[in-house]
Amino acid sequence: MLIKKIRTKYYIRPDEKVAAMVARLNEVKGHKYFVEAAKILKDKGLKFKFLIAGTGEMEEPLKKQIKELDLEDTVIMMGFVSNVTALMNLMDVQVNCSFGTEATSLSLLEGMSLGKPAVVSDFGGNPGVITDGVNGFMTPTHSVKELANKIELLFTDEVLYKKISTNCKKIYDTKFTAQVNTRAIEEIYKQVKK
């Protein structure tokens, strides 16, 4: 029901793919590259929505960029989202464009648990979560063209999308669940005791 509400509120048609960024609106999170990638894909005629969930000091500059690039019908600033799970279930692709202060992204992990492929920058903790071509795609930091290309690939290649989506769930279940992490910590304690 919440997914339907989001679709209705933001005029997301059934034939439109959805990419989302869930992150504080700080410059180092790279939202401007996400917006620039939207321009590339819109100019190609793809049907999609890019959603930005979060608040922060980049809110006004991003709104200005979206307006200047004539993307107001395509890139949606959602503000603070209290129920991120509904957004995660709605999106097709999760995006992380960070180029500063990125540890392991809990948002990426949540998306993986739901089978949502990610396109991420090769910065910080992202390579520890996303394996290029397996559970998403890694792009060079600041590379708008590569970012757009990988999002387009996931939007348009259904066979590849299903394969990567399946891999997301498998990798999450084997590497990132609470049980797996608890066992790993227990093993560390056992080694220290020796």
Side-chain angles (χ1 to χ4, degrees):
M1 184 61 177
L2 287 173
I3 294 172
K4 188 176 179 182
K5 276 186 176 180
I6 294 172
R7 282 195 172 273
T8 302
K9 180 177 181 179
Y10 297 111
Y11 305 101
I12 302 169
R13 297 188 313 265
D15 63 336
E16 288 181 314
K17 298 291 185 181
V18 176
M21 272 189 79
V22 181
R24 181 145 180 77
L25 305 185
N26 295 115
E27 185 176 358
V28 295
K29 294 295 187 182
H31 291 87
K32 72 176 188 172
Y33 305 115
F34 186 58
V35 175
E36 289 171 18
K39 177 65 172 166
I40 292 171
L41 298 182
K42 184 178 182 181
D43 288 348
K44 287 185 171 188
L46 269 66
K47 295 178 180 178
F48 66 91
K49 289 282 193 285
F50 272 27
L51 306 180
I52 297 175
T55 59
E57 70 268 11
M58 290 302 293
E59 188 169 343
E60 290 308 314
L62 286 169
K63 285 179 180 177
K64 182 179 178 189
Q65 180 188 21
I66 291 164
K67 186 172 185 177
E68 287 173 353
L69 294 176
D70 192 28
L71 294 171
E72 291 168 301
D73 63 337
T74 307
V75 180
I76 299 161
M77 305 272 301
M78 301 175 75
F80 177 77
V81 175
S82 59
N83 186 346
V84 177
T85 303
L87 173 57
M88 291 285 182
N89 278 289
L90 166 70
M91 72 182 178
D92 298 292
V93 176
Q94 184 172 190
V95 178
N96 179 311
C97 306
S98 287
F99 60 92
T101 66
E102 189 64 51
T104 300
S105 168
L106 295 179
S107 179
L108 283 180
L109 294 177
E110 185 172 355
M112 277 180 61
S113 75
L114 298 168
K116 304 298 179 170
V119 178
V120 302
S121 61
D122 58 0
F123 181 84
N126 289 341
V129 177
I130 302 300
T131 302
D132 191 49
V134 177
N135 61 334
F137 289 106
M138 195 80 54
T139 63
T141 305
H142 310 298
S143 178
V144 175
K145 186 176 179 183
E146 272 304 298
L147 180 66
N149 286 343
K150 297 306 184 189
I151 294 169
E152 180 180 7
L153 189 57
L154 288 169
F155 277 177
T156 58
D157 188 332
E158 287 184 30
V159 173
L160 177 66
Y161 184 92
K162 285 179 184 172
K163 178 184 170 190
I164 290 180
S165 174
T166 300
N167 289 342
C168 283
K169 292 177 190 171
K170 285 180 184 173
I171 291 169
Y172 178 82
D173 288 342
T174 57
K175 286 179 72 175
F176 296 109
T177 63
Q179 293 86 353
V180 169
N181 285 310
T182 300
R183 281 197 297 272
I185 291 169
E186 286 172 353
E187 285 303 314
I188 291 169
Y189 281 127
K190 288 177 186 175
Q191 294 300 321
V192 171
K193 283 184 177 181
K194 290 179 183 179

